[in-house]
Amino acid sequence: MRELKAPEEIVVDGRTLREILDTSSPAKPAVLKGADLAGANLRNANLEDANMWGVKMVHAALTNANMKGVYLMRANLIGTDFSGANMADANMMDANLIGANMENATLTNVNFMGADMTVVNLTGANLRGAILKDAVLKGANLTNADLNGADLTNADMKGVILRGAKMKDTNLMNASIEESHEDDNQVKEKRTSILQRIFGTGH
């Protein structure tokens, strides 16, 4: 595993990430546009409504973070851990989420339009009302996910796992769906192998 960097170790525009987080507030959300936050340890961080357009945040840890309304359009989020995070109403349009972990995350009404979500772990995630139009969900694990009212128009869902997924009023118009029946271990191995191909071994 790669070592995570504490917010004190990451400098953005002359200030540490810790300072930026500590001085942000609901009236003045954090601005981290285009920042390099690769490997950042942001577990439990408060990033509500933060502007993180185009950030590079690969292999970061955002477990249980508050990311409500965060702006992550075109961000590079390959292999990042968002498990348990609250990302309701976030904008993740055209984001690269290959191999990300979003297990049990709150993703209600998130805009994932055009996002690459290849082999993303969405086990138990709440995706009610999410916009996944034109998203790539190849090999994504949606076991027990709540997709009620989600829009999956034109989504690429080849090799997707839908065991126990809730799909009432889900829009699947023109979506390419080929369901896989691989078990959790096989899915995890596939995800790890894709990330290793992207980053090389040792991550």
Side-chain angles (χ1 to χ4, degrees):
M1 287 293 289
R2 293 171 193 251
E3 287 214 7
L4 293 171
K5 297 177 200 163
E8 296 76 35
E9 300 174 78
I10 298 169
V11 177
V12 179
D13 295 332
R15 297 169 72 208
T16 68
L17 182 53
R18 168 58 61 213
E19 284 177 85
I20 293 168
L21 294 174
D22 287 349
T23 54
S24 65
S25 66
K28 196 183 171 189
V31 177
L32 294 158
K33 200 173 169 183
D36 185 350
L37 306 177
N41 182 354
L42 289 163
R43 293 185 181 108
N44 305 305
N46 185 7
L47 289 158
E48 188 166 349
D49 292 325
N51 182 348
M52 301 175 80
W53 186 94
V55 296
K56 182 188 178 190
M57 200 161 60
V58 298
H59 280 304
L62 287 120
T63 320
N64 300 319
N66 174 16
M67 302 183 76
K68 225 177 152 208
V70 73
Y71 193 75
L72 278 162
M73 189 173 172
R74 296 191 179 165
N76 182 354
L77 308 166
I78 296 174
T80 282
D81 188 357
F82 295 101
S83 54
N86 181 359
M87 304 181 79
D89 306 314
N91 186 341
M92 302 183 82
M93 195 173 171
D94 295 325
N96 187 343
L97 285 150
I98 294 173
N101 182 14
M102 301 184 110
E103 186 170 0
N104 296 321
T106 300
L107 303 167
T108 48
N109 305 313
V110 172
N111 183 355
F112 286 112
M113 194 185 287
D116 191 341
M117 302 172 77
T118 302
V119 299
V120 170
N121 180 13
L122 288 154
T123 305
N126 184 349
L127 288 143
R128 277 176 177 253
I131 300 163
L132 293 135
K133 198 174 176 183
D134 300 313
V136 177
L137 287 146
K138 282 183 188 168
N141 187 352
L142 285 152
T143 301
N144 298 324
D146 187 344
L147 288 155
N148 289 341
D151 184 358
L152 285 147
T153 305
N154 299 323
D156 184 346
M157 298 173 73
K158 294 182 190 80
V160 78
I161 292 158
L162 292 166
R163 272 191 300 270
K166 300 183 188 82
M167 299 182 79
K168 189 183 175 190
D169 299 324
T170 303
N171 185 349
L172 294 164
M173 191 185 289
N174 297 325
S176 317
I177 304 172
E178 282 170 25
E179 206 174 332
S180 165
H181 298 284
E182 291 173 311
D183 64 31
D184 288 345
N185 282 337
Q186 288 171 304
V187 176
K188 198 175 175 184
E189 277 169 26
K190 187 193 282 178
R191 194 169 141 247
T192 303
S193 138
I194 284 172
L195 288 172
Q196 281 176 342
R197 278 209 303 276
I198 294 170
F199 292 108
T201 51
H203 71 278

